[in-house]
Amino acid sequence: MTEDDGVLVTSAEVNGLVLSELRFPSDYLEAAFEAERPYLALVLEGGMVKSFRAKTMTFGGGSAFTMPAGLWHGARFGPIGSTVMKIRPSSDSTPLTAAFRRLVELRGRGFNWLAWRLAGELRASDSAAAMAAEGLALEILAATAREA
């Protein structure tokens, strides 16, 4: 686990995927930026408001969204902070980048349960953790592709 500007990050790279659990403190303000690579974000608890050039979107616990590369956005996290799982490709050459070409809000379909399990595997220290984390991430990505 590392800390970056008050955000606690647990992360692992597994077969072309970067899997990260981010714990944002209460009322944290994320400065606007453009994502270098696309990603899928799953809000485990708390909430956030994402700000884009033309609109804002609110995400609470159990919600998920895809974020395309290059989309300018910032975020404000709620009074209890927020825990977010992110899944992103580790390079531009993976076929996953095509699945995240536009901003899509996802709701339900077991995302939250799978994301909590993935977070647990990121914290596990046994020899099967990486394999389990990869399997859960792929299951989440397949559900995302179906939903999106």
Side-chain angles (χ1 to χ4, degrees), residues 1-2 5 11 16 26 28 34-37 39-40 51 60 65 70-71 77 84 90 95 103 111 118 120 123 135 141:
M1 181 181 296
T2 61
D5 193 30
S11 186
S26 62
Y28 183 82
E34 291 182 14
E36 182 180 324
R37 292 202 168 77
Y39 64 85
L40 168 65
S51 299
F65 57 92
L71 183 61
F77 295 84
V84 177
S90 59
L103 176 65
F111 288 112
L118 178 55
R123 289 185 237 111
L141 290 171

Side-chain angles (χ1 to χ4, degrees), residues 2-146:
T2 61
E3 185 172 345
D4 183 20
D5 193 30
V7 179
L8 297 176
V9 180
T10 303
S11 186
E13 187 170 340
V14 181
N15 288 335
L17 297 173
V18 177
L19 312 173
S20 303
E21 177 188 27
L22 300 106
R23 294 177 182 240
F24 295 92
S26 62
D27 299 316
Y28 183 82
L29 181 61
E30 180 181 61
F33 70 101
E34 291 182 14
E36 182 180 324
R37 292 202 168 77
Y39 64 85
L40 168 65
L42 303 110
V43 182
L44 298 178
E45 59 188 357
M48 72 177 92
V49 175
K50 283 280 190 185
S51 299
F52 305 92
R53 292 188 194 277
K55 67 179 176 179
T56 61
M57 296 175 77
T58 301
F59 301 99
S63 62
F65 57 92
T66 59
M67 182 66 63
L71 183 61
W72 179 92
H73 67 286
R76 178 177 300 278
F77 295 84
I80 63 166
S82 188
T83 303
V84 177
M85 283 297 311
K86 280 189 181 179
I87 301 172
R88 70 173 174 83
S90 59
S91 73
D92 292 329
S93 62
T94 177
L96 292 175
T97 56
F100 302 135
R101 291 203 177 162
R102 60 188 179 94
L103 176 65
V104 176
E105 184 176 4
L106 309 162
R107 298 256 182 217
R109 306 272 173 142
F111 288 112
N112 200 38
W113 178 76
L114 291 168
W116 275 108
R117 288 192 55 210
L118 178 55
E121 292 299 339
L122 283 180
R123 289 185 237 111
S125 59
D126 61 46
S127 61
M131 182 171 42
E134 180 184 13
L136 289 164
L138 291 173
E139 188 171 352
I140 291 168
L141 290 171
T144 300
R146 287 182 174 140

